[in-house]
Amino acid sequence: MDIVGKTVWQHAAGDSGHDHTDLCLKWDVILIGPGEKSWFCCTEDEKRKTGDDARRFCEEMKEGDIVVLKMGLSKLRAIGVVGTYEHVDEFNDVDGWELGHARRVRWLHKKPHDFKANVFTRRTTTRLYGESALTWIRNTLDPIDDGSWIDLEPVALPPEDGGDLNLERDDLAASLFERGLPSDAIRDLLDPNGSFVQMANWYWNQSASEHETVCHLVVPLLKVLGWTPQKIALEHNRIDVALFSRLPREDEDKANLAVVVEAKALHKACLGAFEQAKRYAQQYSNCNRIIVTDGLRFGVFVREGEAWPEDLKPYAYLNVRRLRSSYPIYREQESGYELLGAKQAIHAMTPGWNPDLDLDGRR
């Protein structure tokens, strides 16, 4: 494929703490945000606030350009041909990042490559000028037939409007009541005028440390869900928040600890914290749940057998300001895996939840 004269872009698939390369390759896209609505529906003031990277991505990048998916300053993840711009609401919660601006891409090369020197810039989206990188890209794409990529059809994206995935608070309240959550707890959790929702709304546009999110967001939610202060231990044996099924906290067999909660600073990716939390959970024989959170988003991992498996995927996910029934961007057709949403996440975070009883059918 002859790329002489073509514009070549570099685009970051997140960073080392929030790598969404797999989603880009799975859905044939590159992503940038914040993208709550289509770029072309934004006012000029809204576009300025979004930044130069988004303007380059949405306006300057053109169909037929070449894009290099990068990570850091020297890691190349994939090379593709740029397609059309789309606004895809389903990408507006990629582990806490709002990435609704999307470009379709026909991926031509998906083999990672590490350059010996830094050839990329720190910007999310910008032109690539480094001659050593451009030479490598030309040599890599040269054997590819000039016309073959045109017939590569990108995979179908999830529906833009989310279909019936957005949960109404009344419907969620009814579901939680049927699952046994008391009506006063449901009211405290979902009431738009209640203290928890108001605090979540306020923190949405703030920054806060891990300790602050635990104090003002995580612990209040756990109390609403039925955990008593006696069963909530902070900084317990290096665990951010330890939840106990019964007392005493310190028991000889370490059998009383039920849930490990690993907290991150506000707006930091939380799903990647699972491995760290698993190292703590493995020390407790009856610990069957791990919750990872930044205070506004909660990922729940569940142990179904005797041990925590490798590469365990999250069971359910809750964004307290964006209530969803499921997250189809994480769906795996072959295995049947689907990341469930607010109903299952809230239920799984309650004290009485039992995976042996409540995972039947992953309802």
Side-chain angles (χ1 to χ4, degrees), residues 264-347:
K264 295 298 177 185
L266 196 62
H267 304 305
K268 296 294 184 182
C270 61
L271 292 180
F274 168 70
E275 288 299 326
Q276 179 182 349
K278 185 173 75 170
R279 290 195 293 271
Y280 302 141
Q282 287 172 331
Q283 303 174 38
Y284 299 90
S285 59
N286 288 335
C287 178
N288 55 26
R289 284 167 284 172
I290 289 173
I291 299 171
V292 291
T293 179
D294 73 339
L296 295 174
R297 304 163 185 90
F298 296 78
V300 183
F301 293 78
V302 176
R303 189 194 77 189
E304 299 184 52
E306 293 297 321
W308 290 95
E310 296 293 330
D311 301 321
L312 180 66
K313 295 179 175 60
Y315 163 65
Y317 184 85
L318 166 68
N319 182 331
V320 299
R321 294 190 74 251
R322 194 169 187 261
L323 302 173
R324 308 279 284 173
S325 63
S326 66
Y327 292 84
I329 60 172
Y330 294 103
R331 183 178 297 150
E332 296 179 358
Q333 297 291 350
E334 292 183 2
S335 67
Y337 169 77
E338 183 168 5
L339 178 59
L340 302 176
K343 292 180 182 179
Q344 292 82 3
I346 293 172
H347 191 211

Coordinates of all heavy atoms in Angstrom, one line a residue, residues 264-347:
K264 N -9.6 4.2 44.3 CA -8.7 5.0 43.5 C -9.1 6.5 43.7 O -10.2 6.8 44.1 CB -8.6 4.6 42.0 CG -8.1 3.2 41.8 CD -6.6 3.2 42.3 CE -6.0 1.8 42.1 NZ -4.6 1.7 42.7
A265 N -8.2 7.4 43.3 CA -8.6 8.8 43.3 C -9.7 9.1 42.3 O -9.9 8.3 41.3 CB -7.4 9.7 43.0
L266 N -10.5 10.1 42.5 CA -11.6 10.4 41.7 C -11.2 10.6 40.2 O -10.2 11.2 39.9 CB -12.2 11.7 42.1 CG -13.7 12.0 41.7 CD1 -14.6 11.0 42.1 CD2 -14.1 13.4 42.2
H267 N -12.0 9.9 39.3 CA -11.8 10.0 37.9 C -10.6 9.2 37.4 O -10.1 9.3 36.3 CB -11.7 11.4 37.3 CG -12.9 12.2 37.7 ND1 -14.2 11.9 37.4 CD2 -13.0 13.4 38.4 CE1 -15.0 12.8 37.9 NE2 -14.3 13.8 38.5
K268 N -10.0 8.3 38.3 CA -9.0 7.4 37.8 C -9.6 6.1 37.4 O -10.6 5.7 38.0 CB -8.0 7.2 39.0 CG -7.2 8.4 39.4 CD -6.3 8.9 38.3 CE -5.4 10.1 38.7 NZ -4.6 10.6 37.6
A269 N -9.0 5.4 36.4 CA -9.5 4.1 36.0 C -9.5 3.2 37.2 O -8.5 3.1 37.9 CB -8.7 3.6 34.9
C270 N -10.6 2.5 37.4 CA -10.6 1.6 38.6 C -10.6 0.1 38.2 O -10.1 -0.7 39.0 CB -11.9 1.9 39.4 SG -13.5 1.6 38.6
L271 N -11.0 -0.3 37.1 CA -11.1 -1.7 36.8 C -9.7 -2.4 36.8 O -9.6 -3.5 37.1 CB -11.8 -2.0 35.4 CG -13.3 -1.7 35.3 CD1 -13.8 -1.9 34.0 CD2 -14.1 -2.4 36.4
G272 N -8.7 -1.6 36.4 CA -7.4 -2.2 36.4 C -6.8 -2.4 37.8 O -5.7 -3.0 37.9
A273 N -7.5 -2.0 38.8 CA -7.0 -2.2 40.2 C -7.3 -3.6 40.7 O -7.0 -3.9 41.8 CB -7.6 -1.1 41.1
F274 N -8.0 -4.4 39.9 CA -8.4 -5.7 40.3 C -7.3 -6.6 40.8 O -7.3 -7.2 41.8 CB -9.2 -6.4 39.2 CG -9.5 -7.9 39.5 CD1 -10.3 -8.3 40.5 CD2 -8.8 -8.8 38.8 CE1 -10.5 -9.6 40.8 CE2 -9.0 -10.2 39.0 CZ -9.9 -10.6 40.0
E275 N -6.2 -6.6 40.0 CA -5.1 -7.5 40.4 C -4.5 -7.2 41.7 O -4.2 -8.1 42.5 CB -4.0 -7.5 39.3 CG -4.4 -8.1 38.0 CD -4.7 -9.6 38.1 OE1 -4.1 -10.3 39.0 OE2 -5.6 -10.1 37.4
Q276 N -4.3 -5.9 42.0 CA -3.9 -5.5 43.3 C -4.8 -6.0 44.4 O -4.4 -6.5 45.5 CB -3.7 -4.0 43.4 CG -3.2 -3.5 44.8 CD -3.0 -2.0 44.8 OE1 -3.1 -1.3 43.8 NE2 -2.8 -1.5 46.0
A277 N -6.1 -5.8 44.2 CA -7.1 -6.2 45.2 C -7.1 -7.7 45.4 O -7.4 -8.2 46.5 CB -8.5 -5.6 44.8
K278 N -6.9 -8.4 44.3 CA -7.0 -9.9 44.3 C -5.9 -10.4 45.2 O -6.1 -11.4 45.9 CB -6.9 -10.5 42.9 CG -7.0 -12.0 42.9 CD -7.1 -12.5 41.5 CE -5.7 -12.5 40.8 NZ -5.7 -13.3 39.5
R279 N -4.7 -9.8 45.2 CA -3.6 -10.2 46.1 C -4.0 -10.1 47.6 O -3.6 -11.0 48.4 CB -2.4 -9.4 45.9 CG -1.7 -9.7 44.5 CD -0.3 -9.1 44.5 NE -0.3 -7.7 44.5 CZ -0.3 -6.9 43.4 NH1 -0.5 -7.4 42.2 NH2 -0.3 -5.6 43.6
Y280 N -4.8 -9.1 47.9 CA -5.3 -9.0 49.3 C -6.4 -10.1 49.5 O -6.4 -10.8 50.6 CB -5.9 -7.7 49.6 CG -4.9 -6.5 49.4 CD1 -5.3 -5.3 48.8 CD2 -3.6 -6.7 49.8 CE1 -4.4 -4.3 48.6 CE2 -2.7 -5.6 49.6 CZ -3.1 -4.4 49.0 OH -2.2 -3.4 48.8
A281 N -7.3 -10.2 48.6 CA -8.5 -11.1 48.8 C -8.1 -12.6 48.9 O -8.7 -13.3 49.6 CB -9.4 -11.0 47.6
Q282 N -7.0 -13.0 48.3 CA -6.5 -14.3 48.3 C -6.1 -14.8 49.7 O -6.0 -16.0 50.0 CB -5.3 -14.5 47.3 CG -5.8 -14.5 45.9 CD -4.6 -14.5 44.9 OE1 -3.5 -14.0 45.2 NE2 -4.8 -15.1 43.7
Q283 N -5.9 -13.8 50.6 CA -5.5 -14.2 52.0 C -6.7 -14.5 52.9 O -6.5 -15.0 54.0 CB -4.7 -13.0 52.6 CG -3.5 -12.5 51.8 CD -2.9 -11.2 52.4 OE1 -2.9 -11.0 53.6 NE2 -2.5 -10.3 51.5
Y284 N -7.9 -14.4 52.4 CA -9.1 -14.6 53.2 C -10.0 -15.7 52.5 O -10.5 -15.5 51.4 CB -9.8 -13.3 53.4 CG -9.0 -12.2 54.1 CD1 -8.2 -11.4 53.3 CD2 -9.0 -12.1 55.4 CE1 -7.4 -10.4 53.9 CE2 -8.2 -11.2 56.1 CZ -7.4 -10.3 55.3 OH -6.6 -9.4 56.0
S285 N -10.2 -16.7 53.2 CA -10.9 -17.9 52.6 C -12.3 -17.6 52.2 O -12.7 -18.2 51.2 CB -10.8 -19.1 53.6 OG -11.5 -18.7 54.8
N286 N -13.0 -16.8 52.9 CA -14.4 -16.5 52.5 C -14.7 -15.2 51.8 O -15.8 -14.8 51.6 CB -15.3 -16.6 53.8 CG -15.4 -18.0 54.4 OD1 -15.3 -18.9 53.6 ND2 -15.6 -18.1 55.7
C287 N -13.6 -14.6 51.4 CA -13.8 -13.4 50.6 C -14.2 -13.7 49.1 O -13.4 -14.4 48.4 CB -12.5 -12.6 50.5 SG -12.6 -11.1 49.5
N288 N -15.4 -13.4 48.8 CA -15.9 -13.8 47.5 C -16.2 -12.6 46.5 O -16.7 -12.8 45.4 CB -17.2 -14.7 47.6 CG -18.2 -14.0 48.4 OD1 -18.3 -12.8 48.5 ND2 -19.1 -14.8 49.1
R289 N -15.9 -11.4 47.0 CA -16.2 -10.3 46.2 C -15.1 -9.3 46.3 O -14.5 -9.1 47.3 CB -17.5 -9.6 46.6 CG -18.8 -10.3 46.1 CD -20.0 -9.7 46.8 NE -20.1 -10.2 48.2 CZ -21.0 -9.7 49.1 NH1 -21.8 -8.8 48.8 NH2 -21.0 -10.2 50.3
I290 N -14.8 -8.6 45.2 CA -13.9 -7.5 45.1 C -14.6 -6.3 44.5 O -15.2 -6.5 43.4 CB -12.6 -7.8 44.3 CG1 -11.7 -8.8 45.1 CG2 -11.8 -6.6 44.0 CD1 -10.5 -9.3 44.3
I291 N -14.5 -5.2 45.1 CA -15.1 -3.9 44.5 C -13.9 -3.0 44.3 O -13.1 -2.7 45.1 CB -16.1 -3.3 45.5 CG1 -17.2 -4.3 45.8 CG2 -16.6 -2.0 44.9 CD1 -18.2 -3.8 46.9
V292 N -13.9 -2.5 43.0 CA -12.9 -1.5 42.7 C -13.6 -0.2 42.3 O -14.7 -0.2 41.7 CB -12.0 -1.9 41.5 CG1 -11.1 -3.1 41.9 CG2 -12.8 -2.3 40.3
T293 N -13.1 1.0 42.8 CA -14.0 2.2 42.7 C -13.1 3.4 42.7 O -12.0 3.5 43.3 CB -15.0 2.2 43.8 OG1 -15.8 3.4 43.7 CG2 -14.3 2.2 45.2
D294 N -13.6 4.5 42.1 CA -13.1 5.8 42.2 C -14.0 6.7 43.0 O -13.9 7.9 43.0 CB -12.8 6.4 40.8 CG -14.0 6.8 40.1 OD1 -15.1 6.3 40.4 OD2 -13.9 7.7 39.1
G295 N -15.0 6.1 43.6 CA -16.0 6.8 44.3 C -17.3 7.1 43.6 O -18.4 7.2 44.2
L296 N -17.2 7.2 42.2 CA -18.4 7.4 41.4 C -18.7 6.2 40.5 O -19.9 6.0 40.1 CB -18.2 8.7 40.5 CG -18.1 10.0 41.2 CD1 -17.8 11.1 40.2 CD2 -19.4 10.3 42.0
R297 N -17.7 5.4 40.3 CA -17.9 4.2 39.5 C -17.4 3.0 40.3 O -16.4 3.1 41.0 CB -17.1 4.3 38.2 CG -17.5 5.6 37.4 CD -16.4 5.9 36.4 NE -16.7 7.2 35.7 CZ -16.3 8.4 36.1 NH1 -15.5 8.5 37.2 NH2 -16.6 9.5 35.5
F298 N -18.2 1.9 40.2 CA -17.9 0.7 41.0 C -17.9 -0.5 40.1 O -18.9 -0.8 39.5 CB -19.0 0.6 42.1 CG -19.0 1.7 43.1 CD1 -19.5 2.9 42.9 CD2 -18.4 1.5 44.4 CE1 -19.5 3.9 43.8 CE2 -18.4 2.5 45.3 CZ -18.9 3.7 45.0
G299 N -16.8 -1.2 40.1 CA -16.7 -2.5 39.4 C -16.7 -3.6 40.4 O -16.0 -3.6 41.3
V300 N -17.6 -4.6 40.2 CA -17.7 -5.7 41.1 C -17.2 -7.0 40.4 O -17.7 -7.4 39.4 CB -19.2 -5.9 41.5 CG1 -19.3 -7.0 42.6 CG2 -19.7 -4.6 42.1
F301 N -16.2 -7.6 41.1 CA -15.7 -8.9 40.6 C -16.2 -10.0 41.6 O -16.2 -9.8 42.9 CB -14.2 -8.9 40.6 CG -13.6 -8.0 39.5 CD1 -13.6 -6.6 39.8 CD2 -13.1 -8.5 38.4 CE1 -13.0 -5.8 38.8 CE2 -12.6 -7.7 37.4 CZ -12.5 -6.3 37.6
V302 N -16.5 -11.2 41.1 CA -17.1 -12.2 42.0 C -16.3 -13.5 41.8 O -16.0 -13.9 40.7 CB -18.5 -12.5 41.6 CG1 -19.1 -13.6 42.4 CG2 -19.4 -11.2 41.8
R303 N -16.0 -14.1 42.9 CA -15.4 -15.5 42.9 C -16.4 -16.5 43.1 O -17.2 -16.6 44.0 CB -14.4 -15.6 44.1 CG -13.5 -16.8 44.0 CD -12.8 -17.1 45.4 NE -13.7 -17.6 46.3 CZ -13.5 -17.8 47.6 NH1 -12.3 -17.3 48.1 NH2 -14.4 -18.3 48.5
E304 N -16.5 -17.4 42.1 CA -17.6 -18.5 42.1 C -17.0 -19.8 42.6 O -17.8 -20.6 43.1 CB -18.2 -18.6 40.7 CG -18.8 -17.4 40.2 CD -19.5 -17.6 38.8 OE1 -20.3 -18.6 38.7 OE2 -19.2 -16.8 37.9
G305 N -15.7 -20.0 42.5 CA -15.2 -21.3 43.0 C -14.4 -21.1 44.2 O -14.5 -20.2 45.0
E306 N -13.4 -22.0 44.4 CA -12.6 -22.0 45.6 C -11.5 -21.0 45.5 O -10.9 -20.6 46.5 CB -12.0 -23.4 45.9 CG -13.0 -24.4 46.3 CD -13.7 -24.1 47.6 OE1 -13.0 -23.6 48.5 OE2 -15.0 -24.3 47.7
A307 N -11.1 -20.6 44.3 CA -10.0 -19.7 44.1 C -10.3 -18.6 43.1 O -11.2 -18.8 42.3 CB -8.7 -20.4 43.7
W308 N -9.6 -17.5 43.2 CA -9.8 -16.4 42.2 C -9.1 -16.8 40.9 O -7.9 -17.0 40.9 CB -9.2 -15.1 42.8 CG -9.9 -14.5 43.9 CD1 -9.7 -14.7 45.2 CD2 -11.1 -13.7 43.8 NE1 -10.6 -14.0 46.0 CE2 -11.5 -13.4 45.1 CE3 -11.8 -13.2 42.8 CZ2 -12.6 -12.6 45.4 CZ3 -12.9 -12.4 43.1 CH2 -13.3 -12.1 44.4
P309 N -9.8 -16.9 39.8 CA -9.2 -17.3 38.6 C -8.3 -16.2 38.0 O -8.5 -15.0 38.3 CB -10.4 -17.6 37.7 CG -11.5 -16.7 38.2 CD -11.3 -16.7 39.7
E310 N -7.5 -16.6 37.0 CA -6.7 -15.6 36.3 C -7.6 -14.9 35.3 O -8.5 -15.5 34.8 CB -5.5 -16.4 35.5 CG -4.5 -17.0 36.4 CD -3.7 -16.0 37.2 OE1 -3.5 -14.9 36.7 OE2 -3.3 -16.4 38.4
D311 N -7.2 -13.7 35.0 CA -8.0 -12.9 34.0 C -9.5 -12.8 34.2 O -10.3 -13.0 33.3 CB -7.6 -13.4 32.6 CG -6.1 -13.4 32.3 OD1 -5.5 -12.4 32.7 OD2 -5.7 -14.3 31.7
L312 N -9.9 -12.7 35.5 CA -11.3 -12.7 35.8 C -11.9 -11.4 35.3 O -11.3 -10.3 35.5 CB -11.5 -12.8 37.3 CG -13.0 -12.7 37.8 CD1 -13.7 -14.0 37.2 CD2 -13.0 -12.7 39.3
K313 N -13.0 -11.4 34.6 CA -13.7 -10.2 34.1 C -14.7 -9.7 35.1 O -15.2 -10.5 35.9 CB -14.4 -10.5 32.8 CG -13.4 -10.9 31.6 CD -14.2 -11.2 30.4 CE -13.2 -11.4 29.2 NZ -12.3 -12.5 29.5
P314 N -15.0 -8.4 35.2 CA -15.9 -7.9 36.1 C -17.3 -8.5 35.9 O -17.8 -8.7 34.8 CB -15.9 -6.4 35.9 CG -15.3 -6.2 34.6 CD -14.4 -7.4 34.3
Y315 N -18.0 -8.7 37.0 CA -19.4 -9.2 37.0 C -20.4 -8.1 36.6 O -21.3 -8.2 35.8 CB -19.7 -9.8 38.3 CG -21.2 -10.0 38.6 CD1 -22.0 -10.9 37.8 CD2 -21.9 -9.4 39.6 CE1 -23.3 -11.2 38.0 CE2 -23.2 -9.6 39.9 CZ -23.9 -10.5 39.1 OH -25.3 -10.7 39.3
A316 N -20.3 -6.9 37.3 CA -21.2 -5.8 37.1 C -20.5 -4.5 37.3 O -19.5 -4.4 38.0 CB -22.4 -6.0 38.0
Y317 N -21.1 -3.4 36.8 CA -20.5 -2.1 36.9 C -21.6 -1.1 37.2 O -22.6 -1.1 36.6 CB -19.8 -1.8 35.5 CG -19.0 -0.5 35.4 CD1 -17.7 -0.4 35.9 CD2 -19.6 0.6 34.9 CE1 -17.0 0.7 35.8 CE2 -18.9 1.8 34.7 CZ -17.6 1.8 35.2 OH -16.9 3.0 35.1
L318 N -21.2 -0.2 38.1 CA -22.2 0.9 38.4 C -21.5 2.2 38.3 O -20.4 2.5 38.8 CB -22.6 0.7 39.9 CG -23.3 1.9 40.5 CD1 -24.7 2.2 39.9 CD2 -23.4 1.8 42.1
N319 N -22.1 3.1 37.5 CA -21.8 4.5 37.4 C -22.9 5.2 38.1 O -24.1 5.2 37.6 CB -21.6 5.0 36.0 CG -21.2 6.5 35.9 OD1 -21.5 7.3 36.7 ND2 -20.5 6.8 34.8
V320 N -22.7 5.9 39.3 CA -23.8 6.4 40.1 C -24.5 7.5 39.4 O -25.7 7.9 39.7 CB -23.4 6.8 41.5 CG1 -22.8 5.6 42.2 CG2 -22.3 7.9 41.4
R321 N -23.9 8.2 38.4 CA -24.5 9.2 37.6 C -25.0 8.8 36.2 O -25.6 9.6 35.5 CB -23.6 10.4 37.5 CG -23.3 11.1 38.8 CD -22.5 12.4 38.6 NE -23.4 13.5 38.2 CZ -23.3 14.0 36.9 NH1 -22.5 13.5 36.0 NH2 -24.1 15.0 36.6
R322 N -24.8 7.6 35.9 CA -25.2 7.1 34.6 C -25.6 5.7 34.7 O -24.9 4.7 34.5 CB -24.0 7.2 33.6 CG -24.4 7.1 32.1 CD -23.2 7.5 31.2 NE -23.6 7.6 29.8 CZ -23.3 6.6 29.0 NH1 -22.7 5.5 29.4 NH2 -23.7 6.7 27.7
L323 N -26.9 5.5 35.1 CA -27.4 4.2 35.4 C -27.7 3.4 34.1 O -28.5 3.8 33.3 CB -28.6 4.3 36.3 CG -28.4 5.1 37.6 CD1 -29.8 5.4 38.3 CD2 -27.5 4.4 38.5
R324 N -27.1 2.2 34.0 CA -27.2 1.4 32.8 C -27.6 0.0 33.2 O -27.3 -0.5 34.3 CB -25.9 1.4 32.0 CG -25.3 2.7 31.8 CD -25.9 3.4 30.6 NE -25.4 2.8 29.3 CZ -25.9 3.1 28.1 NH1 -26.9 3.9 28.0 NH2 -25.4 2.5 27.1
S325 N -28.2 -0.7 32.3 CA -28.6 -2.1 32.5 C -27.4 -3.1 32.1 O -27.3 -4.2 32.7 CB -29.8 -2.5 31.8 OG -29.6 -2.4 30.4
S326 N -26.6 -2.7 31.2 CA -25.4 -3.5 30.8 C -24.5 -2.6 29.9 O -24.9 -1.5 29.6 CB -25.9 -4.8 30.0 OG -26.5 -4.4 28.8
Y327 N -23.4 -3.2 29.6 CA -22.3 -2.5 28.8 C -21.9 -3.4 27.6 O -21.0 -4.1 27.7 CB -21.2 -2.2 29.7 CG -21.5 -1.2 30.8 CD1 -22.1 -1.6 31.9 CD2 -21.3 0.2 30.5 CE1 -22.5 -0.6 32.9 CE2 -21.6 1.1 31.5 CZ -22.2 0.7 32.7 OH -22.6 1.6 33.6
P328 N -22.6 -3.2 26.5 CA -22.4 -4.1 25.3 C -21.0 -3.9 24.7 O -20.6 -4.8 24.0 CB -23.5 -3.7 24.3 CG -24.0 -2.4 24.8 CD -23.8 -2.3 26.2
I329 N -20.3 -2.8 24.9 CA -19.0 -2.7 24.3 C -18.0 -3.7 24.9 O -17.0 -4.0 24.3 CB -18.4 -1.3 24.5 CG1 -18.3 -0.9 26.0 CG2 -19.2 -0.2 23.8 CD1 -17.5 0.4 26.3
Y330 N -18.3 -4.3 26.1 CA -17.5 -5.3 26.6 C -18.0 -6.7 26.3 O -17.4 -7.7 26.8 CB -17.4 -5.2 28.2 CG -16.7 -3.9 28.6 CD1 -17.4 -2.8 29.0 CD2 -15.3 -3.8 28.5 CE1 -16.8 -1.6 29.4 CE2 -14.7 -2.6 28.9 CZ -15.4 -1.5 29.4 OH -14.8 -0.4 29.7
R331 N -19.1 -6.9 25.6 CA -19.7 -8.2 25.3 C -18.7 -9.0 24.5 O -18.0 -8.6 23.6 CB -21.0 -8.0 24.6 CG -21.8 -9.2 24.3 CD -23.1 -8.9 23.6 NE -23.9 -8.1 24.5 CZ -24.8 -7.2 24.0 NH1 -24.9 -7.0 22.7 NH2 -25.5 -6.5 24.9
E332 N -18.7 -10.3 24.8 CA -17.9 -11.3 24.0 C -18.9 -12.4 23.5 O -19.5 -13.2 24.3 CB -16.9 -11.9 24.9 CG -15.8 -10.9 25.4 CD -14.8 -11.6 26.3 OE1 -14.9 -12.8 26.5 OE2 -13.8 -10.9 26.7
Q333 N -19.1 -12.4 22.2 CA -20.0 -13.3 21.6 C -19.7 -14.8 21.8 O -20.5 -15.6 22.1 CB -20.1 -13.0 20.1 CG -20.6 -11.6 19.7 CD -22.1 -11.4 20.1 OE1 -22.8 -12.4 20.4 NE2 -22.5 -10.2 20.0
E334 N -18.4 -15.1 21.7 CA -18.0 -16.5 21.7 C -18.2 -17.1 23.1 O -18.7 -18.2 23.3 CB -16.5 -16.6 21.3 CG -16.2 -16.3 19.9 CD -14.8 -16.5 19.5 OE1 -14.0 -17.0 20.4 OE2 -14.4 -16.3 18.3
S335 N -17.8 -16.3 24.2 CA -18.0 -16.9 25.5 C -19.3 -16.6 26.1 O -19.7 -17.2 27.2 CB -16.9 -16.3 26.4 OG -17.1 -14.9 26.6
G336 N -20.1 -15.7 25.5 CA -21.3 -15.3 26.1 C -21.2 -14.3 27.3 O -22.2 -13.9 27.9
Y337 N -20.0 -13.8 27.5 CA -19.8 -12.8 28.6 C -20.4 -11.5 28.3 O -20.4 -11.0 27.2 CB -18.3 -12.6 28.8 CG -18.0 -11.4 29.7 CD1 -18.2 -11.6 31.1 CD2 -17.6 -10.2 29.2 CE1 -17.9 -10.5 32.0 CE2 -17.3 -9.1 30.1 CZ -17.5 -9.3 31.4 OH -17.3 -8.2 32.3
E338 N -21.1 -10.9 29.3 CA -21.6 -9.6 29.2 C -21.4 -8.9 30.6 O -21.7 -9.5 31.6 CB -23.1 -9.6 28.9 CG -23.7 -8.3 28.7 CD -25.1 -8.3 28.1 OE1 -25.6 -9.4 27.9 OE2 -25.7 -7.3 27.8
L339 N -21.0 -7.6 30.5 CA -20.8 -6.9 31.7 C -22.1 -6.3 32.1 O -22.7 -5.5 31.4 CB -19.8 -5.7 31.5 CG -19.5 -4.8 32.7 CD1 -19.0 -5.5 33.9 CD2 -18.5 -3.7 32.3
L340 N -22.7 -6.7 33.3 CA -24.0 -6.3 33.7 C -23.9 -4.9 34.4 O -22.8 -4.4 34.7 CB -24.6 -7.3 34.7 CG -24.7 -8.7 34.1 CD1 -25.2 -9.7 35.1 CD2 -25.6 -8.7 32.9
G341 N -25.0 -4.3 34.6 CA -25.1 -2.9 35.1 C -25.5 -2.7 36.5 O -25.2 -3.4 37.4
A342 N -26.2 -1.5 36.7 CA -26.5 -1.0 38.0 C -27.3 -2.0 38.9 O -27.0 -2.1 40.1 CB -27.2 0.3 37.9
K343 N -28.3 -2.6 38.4 CA -29.1 -3.5 39.2 C -28.2 -4.6 39.9 O -28.3 -4.8 41.1 CB -30.2 -4.2 38.4 CG -31.3 -3.3 37.8 CD -32.3 -4.1 37.0 CE -33.4 -3.2 36.4 NZ -34.3 -4.0 35.6
Q344 N -27.5 -5.3 39.1 CA -26.7 -6.4 39.6 C -25.5 -5.9 40.4 O -25.1 -6.5 41.5 CB -26.1 -7.2 38.4 CG -27.2 -8.0 37.7 CD -27.9 -7.2 36.6 OE1 -27.6 -6.0 36.4 NE2 -28.9 -7.8 36.0
A345 N -24.9 -4.7 40.1 CA -23.8 -4.2 40.8 C -24.2 -3.8 42.2 O -23.6 -4.1 43.2 CB -23.2 -3.0 40.1
I346 N -25.4 -3.1 42.3 CA -25.9 -2.6 43.6 C -26.2 -3.8 44.5 O -25.9 -3.9 45.7 CB -27.1 -1.7 43.5 CG1 -26.6 -0.4 42.8 CG2 -27.7 -1.4 44.8 CD1 -27.8 0.5 42.4
H347 N -26.9 -4.8 43.9 CA -27.3 -6.0 44.6 C -26.1 -6.7 45.2 O -26.0 -7.2 46.3 CB -28.2 -6.9 43.7 CG -28.8 -8.0 44.5 ND1 -29.1 -9.2 43.9 CD2 -29.3 -8.0 45.7 CE1 -29.7 -10.0 44.8 NE2 -29.9 -9.3 45.9

